[in-house]
Amino acid sequence: MTRKMKWTLAAVAAAVIVVGAGGGTAIAAATDDSETPITGDALTKASAAALAHTGGGRVTETEVGDEDSYYEVEVTLDNGNQVDVQLDQNFAVVGSSADEEKAGDAD
C-alpha cells in the first residue's frame, strides 16, 4: 500500500468517526428527555389537585419545572382526551389546556 493510499484511508476513517460522533450526538439530543417527574408527597398533592380540577380521570404524566408552571400534571380523561393541568408551588391550579393528541397517539 502506498503512502498516499494510507493517508487517504486515514482521512476517510477520520471523517467517518467525526460524522458518526456528530450523528450520535444529534440522536442523543433528540431523545434526551430532560423532564423531571414529580415524586413523593408532591406527586400525591399534585395528582389530587389536578384530578379535582378535571373532575376525574387518571394521571398519566407529571413534570416539575415545566416551562408554563412549577408543576404540570397530565390527566387522561375517561373519554381518552388529555388535559395538562398547570400548578404553582402550593399546588394551586394556575392554568390548564387540552392536549391536541389523544392517549395512545404516536408522537
Side-chain angles (χ1 to χ4, degrees):
M1 186 177 281
T2 67
R3 187 173 202 182
K4 185 176 181 179
M5 286 180 88
K6 287 180 184 178
W7 277 102
T8 302
L9 287 174
V12 169
V16 167
I17 290 170
V18 169
V19 169
T25 301
I27 290 169
T31 60
D32 180 26
D33 191 359
S34 61
E35 296 176 357
T36 304
I38 305 170
T39 60
D41 190 43
L43 175 60
T44 302
K45 291 177 181 180
S47 296
L51 292 171
H53 178 74
T54 60
R58 62 187 167 83
V59 173
T60 49
E61 264 185 64
T62 65
E63 181 181 353
V64 176
D66 178 65
E67 64 273 1
D68 296 323
S69 61
Y70 194 81
Y71 296 112
E72 179 183 84
V73 178
E74 180 185 88
V75 176
T76 301
L77 304 174
D78 293 337
N79 65 7
N81 291 336
Q82 294 177 336
V83 179
D84 290 336
V85 180
Q86 308 297 329
L87 306 168
D88 67 12
Q89 289 178 312
N90 297 313
F91 307 99
V93 176
V94 295
S96 66
S97 61
D99 276 355
E100 298 297 319
E101 300 176 16
K102 286 192 173 188
D105 284 353
D107 287 328

